[in-house]
C-alpha cells in the first residue's frame, strides 16, 4: 500500500530529528519541525518523541492561545497553557485538534511540573477526550 500523509509526515519528523540531533547551532534548531495539528496530532508527536527518547519542547498555538509540552529523554516533564500547567495543562493541550505545532529539539524544560509516566498521562488524556465527545 502507498504511504498516507501521516506516515510520510512521521518519517519526515524522524528524519529531521536525526538531522537536528547533532546540530546545536544553525537553522535546524532555530526553526525546528513545524506542522498542522490536522495532519499530525499532539498524541502522535508525543508517541514518536517518547519512543525515540528525545528531549524537545513542543509549542502549540491555536488562534491567540498557546501552550507548551516538554519531554526530557522521551518522558513528558512539563506542560503549560495560559490557564493550566502540569497535568491539567497537558490534558488541555492534547484536546486541541486545530492549530499549529513547532518542535524544538534539545530544548530544556523551564522546570518539571509533571511526574506521571507517559502511558498513564496518555491513557487519562484519551479517556478525557472520549468523555467530551459523548
Amino acid at each position: 500500500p502507498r504511504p498516507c500523509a501521516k506516515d510520510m509526515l512521521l518519517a519526515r519528523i524522524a528524519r529531521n530529528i536525526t538531522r537536528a540531533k547533532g546540530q546545536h547551532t544553525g537553522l535546524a534548531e532555530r526553526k525546528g519541525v513545524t506542522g498542522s495539528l490536522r495532519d499530525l496530532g499532539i498524541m502522535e508527536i508525543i508517541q514518536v518523541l517518547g519512543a525515540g527518547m528525545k528531549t524537545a519542547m513542543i509549542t502549540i498555538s491555536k488562534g491567540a492561545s498557546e501552550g507548551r509540552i516538554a519531554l526530557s529523554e522521551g518522558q513528558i516533564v512539563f506542560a503549560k497553557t495560559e490557564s493550566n500547567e502540569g497535568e491539567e495543562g497537558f490534558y488541555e493541550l492534547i484536546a486541541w485538534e486545530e492549530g499549529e505545532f513547532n518542535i524544538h529539539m534539545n530544548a530544556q524544560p523551564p522546570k518539571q511540573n509533571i511526574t506521571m509516566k507517559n502511558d498513564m498521562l496518555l491513557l487519562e488524556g484519551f479517556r478525557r477526550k472520549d468523555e467530551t465527545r459523548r
Side-chain angles (χ1 to χ4, degrees):
R2 291 187 60 213
C4 69
K6 188 187 299 181
D7 292 338
M8 290 169 60
L9 190 55
L10 284 171
R12 199 165 96 207
I13 287 174
R15 200 168 43 249
N16 285 343
I17 287 170
T18 303
R19 193 177 308 133
K21 191 175 179 183
Q23 298 176 351
H24 294 291
T25 59
L27 189 60
E29 188 175 87
R30 281 199 313 270
K31 186 162 173 31
V33 178
T34 60
S36 168
L37 293 177
R38 283 187 182 169
D39 297 328
L40 190 66
I42 298 298
M43 298 280 218
E44 294 157 315
I45 294 168
I46 287 169
Q47 288 170 334
V48 169
L49 294 173
M53 297 186 64
K54 302 298 180 187
T55 296
M57 176 71 71
I58 307 164
T59 304
I60 305 120
S61 55
K62 179 176 80 169
S65 300
E66 188 176 282
R68 295 184 298 160
I69 297 172
L71 289 90
S72 179
E73 296 178 1
Q75 194 60 45
I76 301 161
V77 295
F78 175 84
K80 182 171 176 34
T81 65
E82 289 151 10
S83 51
N84 291 302
E85 66 175 71
E87 292 160 11
E88 291 303 316
F90 177 78
Y91 299 137
E92 181 182 337
L93 287 168
I94 61 171
W96 292 9
E97 294 180 355
E98 303 268 323
E100 302 294 315
F101 66 84
N102 186 291
I103 304 169
H104 287 277
M105 299 310 299
N106 303 314
Q108 296 301 314
K111 63 181 178 181
Q112 180 168 354
N113 62 15
I114 295 178
T115 55
M116 192 184 291
K117 295 286 179 213
N118 287 13
D119 45 356
M120 297 307 292
L121 274 168
L122 292 169
L123 279 172
E124 178 63 11
F126 279 126
R127 188 191 69 74
R128 289 180 181 214
K129 229 174 158 178
D130 193 46
E131 228 172 59
T132 58
R133 285 196 179 123
R134 292 178 191 193

